[in-house]
Amino acid sequence: AQTVTQSQPEMSVQEAETVTLSCTYDTSESDYYLFWYKQPPSRQMILVIRQEAYKQQNATENRFSVNFQKAAKSFSLKISDSQLGDAAMYFCAFGNQFYFGTGTSLTVIP
Amino acid sequence: DTGVSQNPRHKITKRGQNVTFRCDPISEHNRLYWYRQTLGQGPEFLTYFQNEAQLEKSRLLSDRFSAERPKGSFSTLEIQRTEQGDSAMYLCASSLKGSSGNTIYFGEGSWLTVV
């Protein structure tokens, strides 16, 4: 079975500070992609960042970066210089069918 | 650039009625996915198509649920004999297999309320 676990239901961060959201997963596949999606109050799911499992280099997208540990099946998201607009639910996902975690609600404190 | 379009955006129906949702994917995308999301939860996979073929169905997709994608273009998700537990947001997404890691792009969702 393929599962995704986000162990932090809620996180908060001061504006301009850095926060890390955790995600672990379980799969028997060797080649796959991992994703972080953001869902603001509008409920529109927005792609934040993507990581290819066969690449050792961690993906970076502006203020967003990942720490991908394949052996540990861990895929955390780091948000640097947090902005008020980063407040949202964040979901980790992977697999062809895109299994999603239960999400982490991020609050940004002005 | 037209994204994934879902209709209707909101539907209120009485228990026992049938409802149908439509999804129009991004035009060149060959994969189409349906998810269900309840408040405070992540999207739950229901089913996905590659072109017109339905490749996988979740156990969540009971016999009251049926999805089609005729001609590999738009898709419909029908729920028969709705129950209050069906109240949720139904998300559609699409992707182009082999492109950008099969990144999926979501529509805005269709909210279903069963009263």
Side-chain angles (χ1 to χ4, degrees):
Chain A
Q2 302 191 75
T3 59
V4 182
T5 302
Q6 293 181 251
S7 60
Q8 305 155 315
E10 298 178 348
M11 292 284 284
S12 61
V13 62
Q14 291 285 144
E15 195 175 3
E17 296 295 312
T18 296
V19 64
T20 298
L21 309 183
S22 300
C23 173
T24 59
Y25 61 96
D26 189 23
T27 182
S28 56
E29 298 178 7
S30 58
D31 189 16
Y32 47 88
Y33 289 84
L34 297 128
F35 303 82
W36 278 97
Y37 281 85
K38 167 185 176 182
Q39 188 176 44
S42 68
R43 309 288 289 184
Q44 175 73 55
M45 295 284 280
I46 302 165
L47 176 69
V48 175
I49 198 166
R50 177 182 65 243
Q51 173 76 42
E52 299 166 49
Y54 65 88
K55 286 190 176 180
Q56 293 186 342
Q57 184 175 7
N58 289 325
T60 298
E61 192 73 37
N62 299 316
R63 298 181 296 106
F64 300 88
S65 61
V66 301
N67 183 5
F68 175 49
Q69 303 290 329
K70 190 172 183 179
K73 294 180 180 174
S74 170
F75 181 59
S76 60
L77 174 70
K78 185 171 81 171
I79 306 174
S80 304
D81 186 26
S82 297
Q83 301 176 359
L84 295 177
D86 294 334
M89 285 290 289
Y90 285 82
F91 294 99
C92 174
F94 87 105
N96 286 326
Q97 302 87 345
F98 286 79
Y99 295 99
F100 284 82
T102 52
T104 296
S105 177
L106 179 65
T107 300
V108 180
I109 303 167
Chain B
D1 183 23
T2 304
V4 178
S5 176
Q6 292 189 243
N7 288 288
R9 295 292 315 284
H10 301 273
K11 179 73 176 178
I12 300 173
T13 190
K14 291 183 178 179
R15 188 176 53 184
Q17 298 294 304
N18 299 343
V19 296
T20 299
F21 298 110
R22 175 180 170 126
C23 173
D24 288 273
I26 294 171
S27 59
E28 66 270 22
H29 284 187
N30 53 8
R31 283 192 170 178
L32 186 147
Y33 306 77
W34 284 101
Y35 294 85
R36 180 175 69 188
Q37 187 179 25
T38 52
L39 286 175
Q41 298 295 316
E44 297 173 295
F45 170 78
L46 293 179
T47 188
Y48 89 98
F49 294 83
Q50 182 163 306
N51 299 314
E52 65 275 10
Q54 189 172 20
L55 296 188
E56 187 166 341
K57 295 196 301 184
S58 164
R59 290 172 299 171
L60 293 173
L61 212 65
S62 75
D63 57 4
R64 295 186 299 106
F65 288 71
S66 62
E68 296 182 341
R69 192 183 183 199
K71 301 179 183 178
S73 56
F74 71 92
S75 175
T76 58
L77 177 68
E78 181 183 19
I79 308 173
Q80 296 181 326
R81 306 181 302 280
T82 52
E83 301 172 356
Q84 287 188 324
D86 297 330
S87 295
M89 182 166 70
Y90 291 84
L91 287 163
C92 177
S94 69
S95 71
L96 181 61
K97 182 178 183 298
S99 170
S100 301
N102 294 338
T103 300
I104 59 172
Y105 297 89
F106 285 86
E108 295 179 298
S110 292
W111 281 100
L112 173 65
T113 302
V114 181
V115 298

Short mmCIF file of all heavy atoms in Angstrom, two decimals, chain A residues 40-99:
data_model
loop_
_atom_site.label_atom_id
_atom_site.label_comp_id
_atom_site.label_asym_id
_atom_site.label_seq_id
_atom_site.Cartn_x
_atom_site.Cartn_y
_atom_site.Cartn_z
N PRO A 40 -5.11 27.42 -0.70
CA PRO A 40 -5.54 28.60 0.08
C PRO A 40 -7.04 28.52 0.36
O PRO A 40 -7.70 27.58 -0.09
CB PRO A 40 -5.20 29.76 -0.85
CG PRO A 40 -5.21 29.17 -2.23
CD PRO A 40 -4.79 27.73 -2.08
N PRO A 41 -7.58 29.49 1.08
CA PRO A 41 -9.02 29.46 1.39
C PRO A 41 -9.92 29.36 0.16
O PRO A 41 -11.03 28.86 0.25
CB PRO A 41 -9.23 30.78 2.13
CG PRO A 41 -7.92 31.05 2.79
CD PRO A 41 -6.89 30.56 1.81
N SER A 42 -9.45 29.80 -0.97
CA SER A 42 -10.24 29.68 -2.20
C SER A 42 -10.44 28.22 -2.62
O SER A 42 -11.29 27.93 -3.47
CB SER A 42 -9.55 30.43 -3.35
OG SER A 42 -8.33 29.77 -3.69
N ARG A 43 -9.66 27.31 -2.02
CA ARG A 43 -9.74 25.87 -2.27
C ARG A 43 -9.09 25.42 -3.58
O ARG A 43 -9.10 24.24 -3.89
CB ARG A 43 -11.19 25.36 -2.24
CG ARG A 43 -11.98 25.77 -1.03
CD ARG A 43 -11.54 25.06 0.21
NE ARG A 43 -11.93 23.66 0.21
CZ ARG A 43 -11.73 22.83 1.22
NH1 ARG A 43 -11.12 23.26 2.29
NH2 ARG A 43 -12.11 21.58 1.14
N GLN A 44 -8.54 26.35 -4.34
CA GLN A 44 -7.84 25.97 -5.57
C GLN A 44 -6.49 25.33 -5.21
O GLN A 44 -5.69 25.94 -4.50
CB GLN A 44 -7.61 27.21 -6.44
CG GLN A 44 -6.80 26.95 -7.68
CD GLN A 44 -7.57 26.19 -8.74
OE1 GLN A 44 -8.65 26.59 -9.16
NE2 GLN A 44 -7.02 25.06 -9.19
N MET A 45 -6.26 24.14 -5.68
CA MET A 45 -4.99 23.46 -5.43
C MET A 45 -3.93 23.99 -6.39
O MET A 45 -4.11 23.98 -7.60
CB MET A 45 -5.15 21.94 -5.65
CG MET A 45 -6.08 21.28 -4.67
SD MET A 45 -5.33 21.05 -3.07
CE MET A 45 -4.36 19.58 -3.39
N ILE A 46 -2.81 24.42 -5.81
CA ILE A 46 -1.75 25.05 -6.60
C ILE A 46 -0.45 24.29 -6.37
O ILE A 46 -0.06 24.05 -5.23
CB ILE A 46 -1.57 26.53 -6.17
CG1 ILE A 46 -2.89 27.29 -6.35
CG2 ILE A 46 -0.44 27.19 -6.96
CD1 ILE A 46 -2.92 28.63 -5.65
N LEU A 47 0.22 23.93 -7.45
CA LEU A 47 1.51 23.24 -7.33
C LEU A 47 2.55 24.20 -6.77
O LEU A 47 2.70 25.31 -7.25
CB LEU A 47 1.96 22.74 -8.70
CG LEU A 47 3.34 22.10 -8.73
CD1 LEU A 47 3.32 20.77 -7.98
CD2 LEU A 47 3.81 21.89 -10.17
N VAL A 48 3.26 23.73 -5.74
CA VAL A 48 4.32 24.53 -5.14
C VAL A 48 5.67 24.10 -5.68
O VAL A 48 6.48 24.91 -6.14
CB VAL A 48 4.31 24.40 -3.59
CG1 VAL A 48 5.50 25.14 -2.98
CG2 VAL A 48 2.99 24.93 -3.03
N ILE A 49 5.93 22.77 -5.63
CA ILE A 49 7.24 22.28 -6.03
C ILE A 49 7.15 20.79 -6.32
O ILE A 49 6.27 20.10 -5.79
CB ILE A 49 8.29 22.58 -4.91
CG1 ILE A 49 9.71 22.49 -5.45
CG2 ILE A 49 8.06 21.69 -3.71
CD1 ILE A 49 10.74 23.10 -4.50
N ARG A 50 8.05 20.30 -7.17
CA ARG A 50 8.06 18.90 -7.59
C ARG A 50 9.47 18.36 -7.46
O ARG A 50 10.44 19.06 -7.75
CB ARG A 50 7.60 18.83 -9.05
CG ARG A 50 7.63 17.46 -9.66
CD ARG A 50 7.21 17.49 -11.11
NE ARG A 50 8.14 18.24 -11.92
CZ ARG A 50 7.83 19.36 -12.57
NH1 ARG A 50 6.61 19.84 -12.50
NH2 ARG A 50 8.73 19.98 -13.29
N GLN A 51 9.58 17.11 -7.05
CA GLN A 51 10.88 16.44 -6.91
C GLN A 51 10.86 15.11 -7.64
O GLN A 51 9.91 14.34 -7.47
CB GLN A 51 11.19 16.20 -5.42
CG GLN A 51 12.42 15.36 -5.13
CD GLN A 51 13.72 16.14 -5.34
OE1 GLN A 51 13.83 17.29 -4.94
NE2 GLN A 51 14.71 15.49 -5.94
N GLU A 52 11.88 14.85 -8.41
CA GLU A 52 11.99 13.56 -9.06
C GLU A 52 12.81 12.63 -8.18
O GLU A 52 13.92 12.99 -7.78
CB GLU A 52 12.67 13.73 -10.43
CG GLU A 52 11.87 14.64 -11.34
CD GLU A 52 12.67 15.10 -12.56
OE1 GLU A 52 13.28 14.22 -13.21
OE2 GLU A 52 12.70 16.30 -12.85
N ALA A 53 12.29 11.46 -7.88
CA ALA A 53 12.91 10.58 -6.90
C ALA A 53 14.30 10.09 -7.33
O ALA A 53 15.14 9.78 -6.49
CB ALA A 53 12.01 9.39 -6.61
N TYR A 54 14.54 10.00 -8.63
CA TYR A 54 15.84 9.50 -9.08
C TYR A 54 16.92 10.58 -9.06
O TYR A 54 18.09 10.31 -9.29
CB TYR A 54 15.73 8.89 -10.47
CG TYR A 54 15.37 9.85 -11.57
CD1 TYR A 54 16.35 10.57 -12.25
CD2 TYR A 54 14.04 10.05 -11.95
CE1 TYR A 54 16.02 11.44 -13.27
CE2 TYR A 54 13.70 10.92 -12.97
CZ TYR A 54 14.70 11.62 -13.62
OH TYR A 54 14.36 12.49 -14.63
N LYS A 55 16.52 11.82 -8.79
CA LYS A 55 17.49 12.91 -8.70
C LYS A 55 17.89 13.12 -7.25
O LYS A 55 17.04 13.25 -6.37
CB LYS A 55 16.90 14.21 -9.26
CG LYS A 55 16.79 14.24 -10.77
CD LYS A 55 16.43 15.63 -11.25
CE LYS A 55 16.41 15.70 -12.76
NZ LYS A 55 16.05 17.05 -13.26
N GLN A 56 19.18 13.16 -6.99
CA GLN A 56 19.66 13.38 -5.63
C GLN A 56 19.58 14.84 -5.23
O GLN A 56 19.45 15.17 -4.05
CB GLN A 56 21.09 12.87 -5.49
CG GLN A 56 21.21 11.36 -5.61
CD GLN A 56 22.61 10.88 -5.33
OE1 GLN A 56 23.56 11.64 -5.35
NE2 GLN A 56 22.75 9.59 -5.06
N GLN A 57 19.64 15.72 -6.21
CA GLN A 57 19.62 17.14 -5.90
C GLN A 57 18.22 17.56 -5.48
O GLN A 57 17.23 17.25 -6.15
CB GLN A 57 20.05 17.94 -7.12
CG GLN A 57 20.16 19.43 -6.87
CD GLN A 57 20.70 20.18 -8.07
OE1 GLN A 57 20.87 19.61 -9.14
NE2 GLN A 57 20.97 21.45 -7.91
N ASN A 58 18.16 18.28 -4.38
CA ASN A 58 16.87 18.76 -3.89
C ASN A 58 16.33 19.88 -4.77
O ASN A 58 17.07 20.79 -5.17
CB ASN A 58 17.02 19.27 -2.45
CG ASN A 58 17.24 18.14 -1.47
OD1 ASN A 58 16.70 17.05 -1.62
ND2 ASN A 58 18.05 18.39 -0.46
N ALA A 59 15.05 19.82 -5.03
CA ALA A 59 14.42 20.84 -5.86
C ALA A 59 14.28 22.16 -5.11
O ALA A 59 14.08 22.20 -3.89
CB ALA A 59 13.04 20.36 -6.31
N THR A 60 14.39 23.23 -5.87
CA THR A 60 14.23 24.58 -5.32
C THR A 60 13.38 25.39 -6.27
O THR A 60 13.54 25.31 -7.49
CB THR A 60 15.60 25.27 -5.15
OG1 THR A 60 16.38 24.51 -4.23
CG2 THR A 60 15.43 26.67 -4.60
N GLU A 61 12.49 26.17 -5.71
CA GLU A 61 11.63 27.05 -6.50
C GLU A 61 11.45 28.34 -5.72
O GLU A 61 10.59 28.47 -4.86
CB GLU A 61 10.27 26.37 -6.73
CG GLU A 61 9.39 27.03 -7.78
CD GLU A 61 9.89 26.81 -9.20
OE1 GLU A 61 10.38 25.71 -9.48
OE2 GLU A 61 9.80 27.75 -10.01
N ASN A 62 12.32 29.32 -6.04
CA ASN A 62 12.29 30.61 -5.37
C ASN A 62 12.45 30.42 -3.86
O ASN A 62 13.46 29.88 -3.41
CB ASN A 62 11.01 31.38 -5.72
CG ASN A 62 10.92 31.65 -7.21
OD1 ASN A 62 11.88 32.03 -7.84
ND2 ASN A 62 9.73 31.41 -7.78
N ARG A 63 11.46 30.79 -3.05
CA ARG A 63 11.57 30.68 -1.60
C ARG A 63 11.26 29.28 -1.07
O ARG A 63 11.35 29.04 0.14
CB ARG A 63 10.62 31.69 -0.95
CG ARG A 63 10.92 33.14 -1.26
CD ARG A 63 9.95 34.09 -0.55
NE ARG A 63 8.57 33.92 -1.00
CZ ARG A 63 7.62 33.33 -0.29
NH1 ARG A 63 7.88 32.86 0.92
NH2 ARG A 63 6.39 33.24 -0.76
N PHE A 64 10.88 28.39 -1.95
CA PHE A 64 10.49 27.04 -1.56
C PHE A 64 11.58 26.04 -1.95
O PHE A 64 12.08 26.09 -3.06
CB PHE A 64 9.18 26.65 -2.24
CG PHE A 64 8.03 27.56 -1.88
CD1 PHE A 64 7.78 28.71 -2.61
CD2 PHE A 64 7.20 27.26 -0.81
CE1 PHE A 64 6.72 29.55 -2.28
CE2 PHE A 64 6.14 28.08 -0.49
CZ PHE A 64 5.90 29.24 -1.21
N SER A 65 11.91 25.16 -1.02
CA SER A 65 12.87 24.11 -1.31
C SER A 65 12.46 22.86 -0.56
O SER A 65 11.67 22.91 0.38
CB SER A 65 14.29 24.54 -0.92
OG SER A 65 14.36 24.79 0.48
N VAL A 66 12.98 21.73 -1.02
CA VAL A 66 12.67 20.48 -0.36
C VAL A 66 13.93 19.84 0.18
O VAL A 66 15.04 20.10 -0.30
CB VAL A 66 11.95 19.50 -1.31
CG1 VAL A 66 10.65 20.11 -1.83
CG2 VAL A 66 12.85 19.06 -2.44
N ASN A 67 13.74 19.01 1.19
CA ASN A 67 14.80 18.14 1.69
C ASN A 67 14.31 16.72 1.46
O ASN A 67 13.45 16.21 2.19
CB ASN A 67 15.05 18.40 3.17
CG ASN A 67 16.19 17.54 3.70
OD1 ASN A 67 16.85 16.82 2.94
ND2 ASN A 67 16.44 17.59 4.99
N PHE A 68 14.81 16.10 0.43
CA PHE A 68 14.37 14.78 0.01
C PHE A 68 15.37 13.74 0.48
O PHE A 68 16.55 13.78 0.10
CB PHE A 68 14.23 14.74 -1.51
CG PHE A 68 13.89 13.39 -2.07
CD1 PHE A 68 12.85 12.64 -1.54
CD2 PHE A 68 14.59 12.87 -3.16
CE1 PHE A 68 12.53 11.40 -2.06
CE2 PHE A 68 14.27 11.64 -3.69
CZ PHE A 68 13.24 10.90 -3.14
N GLN A 69 14.90 12.84 1.32
CA GLN A 69 15.72 11.75 1.83
C GLN A 69 15.07 10.45 1.36
O GLN A 69 14.16 9.93 2.02
CB GLN A 69 15.79 11.80 3.36
CG GLN A 69 16.32 13.10 3.93
CD GLN A 69 17.81 13.27 3.65
OE1 GLN A 69 18.55 12.30 3.58
NE2 GLN A 69 18.22 14.53 3.49
N LYS A 70 15.57 9.91 0.23
CA LYS A 70 14.90 8.77 -0.38
C LYS A 70 14.93 7.53 0.51
O LYS A 70 13.93 6.82 0.63
CB LYS A 70 15.52 8.45 -1.74
CG LYS A 70 14.72 7.42 -2.54
CD LYS A 70 15.25 7.27 -3.94
CE LYS A 70 14.39 6.30 -4.74
NZ LYS A 70 14.88 6.14 -6.14
N ALA A 71 16.05 7.27 1.11
CA ALA A 71 16.16 6.07 1.95
C ALA A 71 15.21 6.15 3.14
O ALA A 71 14.61 5.15 3.54
CB ALA A 71 17.59 5.89 2.43
N ALA A 72 15.07 7.32 3.68
CA ALA A 72 14.17 7.51 4.81
C ALA A 72 12.74 7.75 4.37
O ALA A 72 11.84 7.84 5.21
CB ALA A 72 14.65 8.69 5.66
N LYS A 73 12.50 7.88 3.06
CA LYS A 73 11.18 8.18 2.51
C LYS A 73 10.60 9.42 3.18
O LYS A 73 9.47 9.42 3.69
CB LYS A 73 10.26 6.97 2.64
CG LYS A 73 10.74 5.80 1.80
CD LYS A 73 9.86 4.58 1.90
CE LYS A 73 10.42 3.46 1.03
NZ LYS A 73 9.69 2.19 1.20
N SER A 74 11.40 10.46 3.15
CA SER A 74 11.03 11.72 3.76
C SER A 74 11.13 12.83 2.73
O SER A 74 12.07 12.86 1.92
CB SER A 74 11.96 12.01 4.95
OG SER A 74 11.78 13.32 5.42
N PHE A 75 10.19 13.74 2.76
CA PHE A 75 10.11 14.79 1.74
C PHE A 75 9.56 16.05 2.40
O PHE A 75 8.35 16.30 2.39
CB PHE A 75 9.18 14.29 0.62
CG PHE A 75 8.99 15.25 -0.53
CD1 PHE A 75 10.06 15.70 -1.28
CD2 PHE A 75 7.72 15.67 -0.89
CE1 PHE A 75 9.88 16.55 -2.35
CE2 PHE A 75 7.52 16.52 -1.97
CZ PHE A 75 8.60 16.97 -2.69
N SER A 76 10.43 16.85 3.01
CA SER A 76 9.96 18.02 3.73
C SER A 76 10.06 19.27 2.86
O SER A 76 10.88 19.35 1.94
CB SER A 76 10.76 18.21 5.02
OG SER A 76 12.13 18.38 4.73
N LEU A 77 9.22 20.22 3.16
CA LEU A 77 9.16 21.48 2.43
C LEU A 77 9.63 22.61 3.33
O LEU A 77 9.13 22.78 4.44
CB LEU A 77 7.73 21.78 1.98
CG LEU A 77 7.48 23.14 1.32
CD1 LEU A 77 8.14 23.21 -0.05
CD2 LEU A 77 5.96 23.40 1.20
N LYS A 78 10.59 23.38 2.84
CA LYS A 78 11.09 24.53 3.57
C LYS A 78 10.63 25.80 2.87
O LYS A 78 10.84 25.96 1.66
CB LYS A 78 12.61 24.53 3.69
CG LYS A 78 13.13 25.67 4.57
CD LYS A 78 14.62 25.54 4.86
CE LYS A 78 15.47 26.03 3.73
NZ LYS A 78 16.91 26.10 4.12
N ILE A 79 10.01 26.68 3.64
CA ILE A 79 9.57 27.98 3.10
C ILE A 79 10.42 29.05 3.78
O ILE A 79 10.39 29.20 5.01
CB ILE A 79 8.08 28.24 3.38
CG1 ILE A 79 7.23 27.07 2.86
CG2 ILE A 79 7.65 29.55 2.73
CD1 ILE A 79 5.75 27.17 3.22
N SER A 80 11.19 29.76 2.98
CA SER A 80 12.05 30.82 3.50
C SER A 80 11.38 32.18 3.32
O SER A 80 10.53 32.34 2.44
CB SER A 80 13.39 30.82 2.76
OG SER A 80 14.01 29.57 2.84
N ASP A 81 11.75 33.13 4.19
CA ASP A 81 11.20 34.47 4.08
C ASP A 81 9.67 34.43 3.94
O ASP A 81 9.09 34.96 3.00
CB ASP A 81 11.83 35.19 2.88
CG ASP A 81 11.43 36.65 2.77
OD1 ASP A 81 11.08 37.25 3.81
OD2 ASP A 81 11.41 37.18 1.63
N SER A 82 9.03 33.79 4.89
CA SER A 82 7.58 33.56 4.81
C SER A 82 6.81 34.86 4.61
O SER A 82 7.13 35.89 5.22
CB SER A 82 7.10 32.87 6.09
OG SER A 82 7.70 31.60 6.24
N GLN A 83 5.80 34.78 3.77
CA GLN A 83 4.95 35.92 3.48
C GLN A 83 3.51 35.61 3.88
O GLN A 83 3.13 34.44 3.97
CB GLN A 83 5.05 36.25 1.99
CG GLN A 83 6.45 36.58 1.53
CD GLN A 83 6.55 36.81 0.04
OE1 GLN A 83 5.59 36.73 -0.70
NE2 GLN A 83 7.76 37.13 -0.41
N LEU A 84 2.74 36.67 4.09
CA LEU A 84 1.36 36.47 4.50
C LEU A 84 0.59 35.62 3.49
O LEU A 84 -0.28 34.84 3.86
CB LEU A 84 0.66 37.83 4.68
CG LEU A 84 1.21 38.71 5.81
CD1 LEU A 84 0.49 40.05 5.84
CD2 LEU A 84 1.10 38.02 7.16
N GLY A 85 0.94 35.75 2.24
CA GLY A 85 0.26 34.98 1.20
C GLY A 85 0.59 33.50 1.20
O GLY A 85 -0.03 32.72 0.48
N ASP A 86 1.55 33.11 2.03
CA ASP A 86 1.88 31.69 2.13
C ASP A 86 0.90 30.94 3.03
O ASP A 86 0.91 29.71 3.08
CB ASP A 86 3.30 31.51 2.69
CG ASP A 86 4.37 32.04 1.76
OD1 ASP A 86 4.13 32.09 0.53
OD2 ASP A 86 5.45 32.43 2.26
N ALA A 87 0.09 31.66 3.76
CA ALA A 87 -0.88 31.01 4.65
C ALA A 87 -1.85 30.17 3.84
O ALA A 87 -2.51 30.66 2.91
CB ALA A 87 -1.64 32.06 5.45
N ALA A 88 -1.93 28.88 4.15
CA ALA A 88 -2.76 27.95 3.38
C ALA A 88 -2.62 26.56 3.98
O ALA A 88 -1.85 26.34 4.92
CB ALA A 88 -2.31 27.91 1.92
N MET A 89 -3.37 25.62 3.42
CA MET A 89 -3.13 24.20 3.68
C MET A 89 -2.09 23.72 2.70
O MET A 89 -2.15 24.05 1.51
CB MET A 89 -4.42 23.39 3.50
CG MET A 89 -5.42 23.53 4.62
SD MET A 89 -4.87 22.73 6.14
CE MET A 89 -5.02 21.00 5.69
N TYR A 90 -1.16 22.92 3.18
CA TYR A 90 -0.13 22.36 2.32
C TYR A 90 -0.25 20.84 2.33
O TYR A 90 -0.31 20.21 3.38
CB TYR A 90 1.27 22.79 2.79
CG TYR A 90 1.56 24.22 2.47
CD1 TYR A 90 1.09 25.25 3.28
CD2 TYR A 90 2.30 24.56 1.33
CE1 TYR A 90 1.34 26.57 2.97
CE2 TYR A 90 2.55 25.89 1.01
CZ TYR A 90 2.07 26.88 1.84
OH TYR A 90 2.32 28.20 1.52
N PHE A 91 -0.28 20.28 1.14
CA PHE A 91 -0.43 18.84 0.98
C PHE A 91 0.78 18.26 0.26
O PHE A 91 1.21 18.78 -0.76
CB PHE A 91 -1.69 18.50 0.18
CG PHE A 91 -2.97 18.86 0.86
CD1 PHE A 91 -3.65 20.02 0.54
CD2 PHE A 91 -3.51 18.03 1.83
CE1 PHE A 91 -4.83 20.36 1.17
CE2 PHE A 91 -4.70 18.35 2.46
CZ PHE A 91 -5.36 19.53 2.13
N CYS A 92 1.27 17.18 0.79
CA CYS A 92 2.32 16.39 0.16
C CYS A 92 1.63 15.31 -0.66
O CYS A 92 0.61 14.74 -0.23
CB CYS A 92 3.18 15.80 1.27
SG CYS A 92 4.45 14.66 0.75
N ALA A 93 2.18 14.97 -1.82
CA ALA A 93 1.56 13.96 -2.68
C ALA A 93 2.62 13.24 -3.49
O ALA A 93 3.68 13.79 -3.79
CB ALA A 93 0.54 14.62 -3.62
N PHE A 94 2.32 12.00 -3.88
CA PHE A 94 3.22 11.26 -4.76
C PHE A 94 2.47 10.17 -5.49
O PHE A 94 1.33 9.85 -5.16
CB PHE A 94 4.39 10.68 -3.98
CG PHE A 94 4.12 9.33 -3.38
CD1 PHE A 94 4.68 8.18 -3.93
CD2 PHE A 94 3.30 9.21 -2.29
CE1 PHE A 94 4.42 6.94 -3.38
CE2 PHE A 94 3.03 7.98 -1.73
CZ PHE A 94 3.60 6.83 -2.27
N GLY A 95 3.13 9.58 -6.47
CA GLY A 95 2.55 8.42 -7.15
C GLY A 95 1.80 8.77 -8.40
O GLY A 95 1.45 9.92 -8.64
N ASN A 96 1.53 7.77 -9.20
CA ASN A 96 0.77 7.98 -10.43
C ASN A 96 -0.65 8.43 -10.16
O ASN A 96 -1.22 9.22 -10.92
CB ASN A 96 0.74 6.70 -11.26
CG ASN A 96 2.06 6.42 -11.93
OD1 ASN A 96 2.75 7.35 -12.33
ND2 ASN A 96 2.42 5.17 -12.02
N GLN A 97 -1.23 7.92 -9.08
CA GLN A 97 -2.58 8.31 -8.74
C GLN A 97 -2.61 9.52 -7.82
O GLN A 97 -3.67 10.02 -7.48
CB GLN A 97 -3.34 7.16 -8.07
CG GLN A 97 -3.42 5.91 -8.90
CD GLN A 97 -2.21 5.03 -8.68
OE1 GLN A 97 -1.21 5.47 -8.14
NE2 GLN A 97 -2.30 3.79 -9.13
N PHE A 98 -1.46 9.97 -7.41
CA PHE A 98 -1.35 11.12 -6.54
C PHE A 98 -2.05 10.89 -5.21
O PHE A 98 -3.16 11.38 -4.96
CB PHE A 98 -1.86 12.39 -7.21
CG PHE A 98 -0.91 12.90 -8.24
CD1 PHE A 98 -0.86 12.32 -9.49
CD2 PHE A 98 -0.04 13.93 -7.95
CE1 PHE A 98 0.04 12.76 -10.45
CE2 PHE A 98 0.86 14.40 -8.91
CZ PHE A 98 0.90 13.81 -10.15
N TYR A 99 -1.43 10.11 -4.37
CA TYR A 99 -1.90 9.95 -3.01
C TYR A 99 -1.49 11.18 -2.21
O TYR A 99 -0.35 11.60 -2.25
CB TYR A 99 -1.29 8.69 -2.38
CG TYR A 99 -1.73 7.42 -3.06
CD1 TYR A 99 -0.92 6.81 -4.01
CD2 TYR A 99 -2.96 6.85 -2.76
CE1 TYR A 99 -1.32 5.65 -4.64
CE2 TYR A 99 -3.36 5.68 -3.39
CZ TYR A 99 -2.55 5.09 -4.33
OH TYR A 99 -2.95 3.95 -4.97
#
